[in-house]
Amino acid sequence: MAKRRTATVRRSSGFTLIELLVVIAILSILTALLLPAVQKVREAANRTSCSNNLYQIGLAFQMYHDTYAKLPPNRLSDLHATWAVLILPYLEQNNLYAQWDLSQTYYDQSDVARLTQVPIYFCPSRRTAQSPPGHSISGDQNDDIAPGILGPFVPGALGDYATCTGTDNCDGCDCDGHVYNGAFRAAKNQYGQALGYITFSDITDGLSNTIFAGDKHVQLYHFGCGVLDCSLYNGDYWMCSSRSVGPNYPLAQKPTDAVIGFGGYHTGVCQFLLGDGSVHAVATSTDLNVLALLANISDGQAIPEF
């Protein structure tokens, strides 16, 4: 009896088109599921780094006060250096500080002094010291050469943090009668008259109830554009280095908001340094009247929970 022969079918060891499409679909789903988690972890790390930056700035303020028995001013006077220059020795930036001649205006400083960036002044959720444009690209013009005539553009280093001048967007220098009630103000007004320095004893509401600094709102796609993102070292415009908060100066709710105030690129929160050195992630939905109480150094009112 003849034996039946059975044919053997060889299967290819590769993927069929359908199997390949299934694998790609699975990988796409996994990527979609994992990406938000990775982004959350990255943002959590960035927010921690930003909080540490503010903490280090707070320590520098404390050490400056220990040395001089007063807080640094928001700016020495119109045209001159800001707090970001004055605390450099307490941030291990002595070499950069030595490049500055504080008797001269921002516009008279060397390129090294003006353009050298300090990494601690940048929030990684927004940018780093290496991010383009790297320095201001507008808004740092000297408008005191002649009335109504802008001088040459003089770029400088940027930064993502601002001191708090209180509730009325004014540090006492050329503010047209606006109130300056925050912990940071100009040392002199535009006429050369001393405005006085703030000491811890002047902050009668208590250091733990007073905003010293926070995330400076910079509108997305407007990096380096003055006056809201002019050089952090430039005391010609107080909004280069400071912000206010209250009913008239709300927190930015998102990076694209066109507001003059505080605001970070952290989801739903803005980080603030208080006078006791603590750093708080404050919800951007917080009542602006409560934030105004925190911005004013001596309103004498109790602070609700925030």
Side-chain angles (χ1 to χ4, degrees):
M1 184 176 177
K3 294 182 179 180
R4 295 183 61 186
R5 293 182 179 179
T6 58
T8 59
V9 179
R10 292 186 178 182
R11 293 183 58 85
S12 173
S13 59
F15 287 108
T16 66
L17 178 59
I18 293 177
E19 290 171 332
L20 182 60
L21 291 174
V22 169
V23 170
I24 292 174
I26 292 173
L27 290 176
S28 299
I29 293 171
L30 289 175
T31 300
L33 292 173
L34 289 174
L35 187 58
V38 172
Q39 291 174 332
K40 286 182 179 179
V41 171
R42 182 182 293 117
E43 168 53 20
N46 287 342
R47 200 168 98 177
T48 298
S49 179
C50 175
S51 176
N52 184 63
N53 289 346
L54 281 167
Y55 178 74
Q56 295 300 323
I57 291 171
L59 286 179
F61 288 156
Q62 297 275 348
M63 289 187 285
Y64 186 100
H65 191 281
D66 289 345
T67 302
Y68 298 103
K70 58 190 177 185
L71 284 170
N74 179 48
R75 47 184 175 155
L76 287 172
S77 64
D78 191 27
L79 305 177
H80 287 73
T82 69
W83 63 268
V85 174
L86 300 178
I87 67 171
L88 287 174
Y90 308 102
L91 295 173
E92 298 182 349
Q93 294 289 334
N94 298 75
N95 291 338
L96 176 55
Y97 184 72
Q99 298 294 322
W100 279 81
D101 181 351
L102 298 181
S103 68
Q104 300 297 314
T105 73
Y106 163 87
Y107 301 105
D108 294 323
Q109 305 298 327
S110 68
D111 287 349
V112 171
R114 284 184 293 97
L115 295 172
T116 301
Q117 298 174 321
V118 178
I120 203 172
Y121 288 156
F122 291 86
C123 170
S125 289
R126 177 183 293 159
R127 56 188 172 184
T128 68
Q130 291 74 42
S131 300
H135 53 70
S136 57
I137 57 177
S138 69
D140 286 307
Q141 287 92 1
N142 183 353
D143 61 0
D144 291 347
I145 293 178
I149 300 176
L150 291 176
F153 173 65
V154 182
L158 304 173
D160 291 329
Y161 304 109
T163 52
C164 183
T165 57
T167 60
D168 204 20
N169 193 27
C170 171
D171 69 354
C173 181
D174 194 20
C175 293
D176 297 325
H178 288 235
V179 174
Y180 48 102
N181 51 17
F184 291 82
R185 57 191 60 174
K188 295 180 180 180
N189 64 17
Q190 66 271 33
Y191 307 110
Q193 299 167 323
L195 297 175
Y197 289 83
I198 296 298
T199 68
F200 286 165
S201 61
D202 293 321
I203 305 174
T204 56
D205 285 352
L207 296 178
S208 61
N209 295 321
T210 303
I211 293 173
F212 270 21
D215 289 321
K216 180 179 74 172
H217 176 58
V218 176
Q219 195 176 8
L220 189 64
Y221 310 123
H222 288 74
F223 291 173
C225 298
V227 293
L228 296 184
D229 199 26
C230 41
S231 176
L232 191 65
Y233 304 150
N234 189 359
D236 197 354
Y237 310 102
W238 67 92
M239 288 178 289
C240 298
S241 58
S242 65
R243 293 288 189 272
S244 290
V245 63
N248 294 327
Y249 295 94
L251 299 181
Q253 300 297 310
K254 55 185 182 299
T256 54
D257 283 357
V259 301
I260 302 172
F262 287 101
Y265 281 23
H266 314 293
T267 304
V269 300
C270 178
Q271 301 213 103
F272 285 104
L273 166 72
L274 300 187
D276 62 358
S278 61
V279 178
H280 296 260
V282 177
T284 54
S285 59
T286 301
D287 187 337
L288 291 173
N289 292 295
V290 173
L291 294 176
L293 296 178
L294 290 166
N296 191 325
I297 65 173
S298 57
D299 53 66
Q301 299 185 51
I303 308 293
E305 291 292 328
F306 65 94

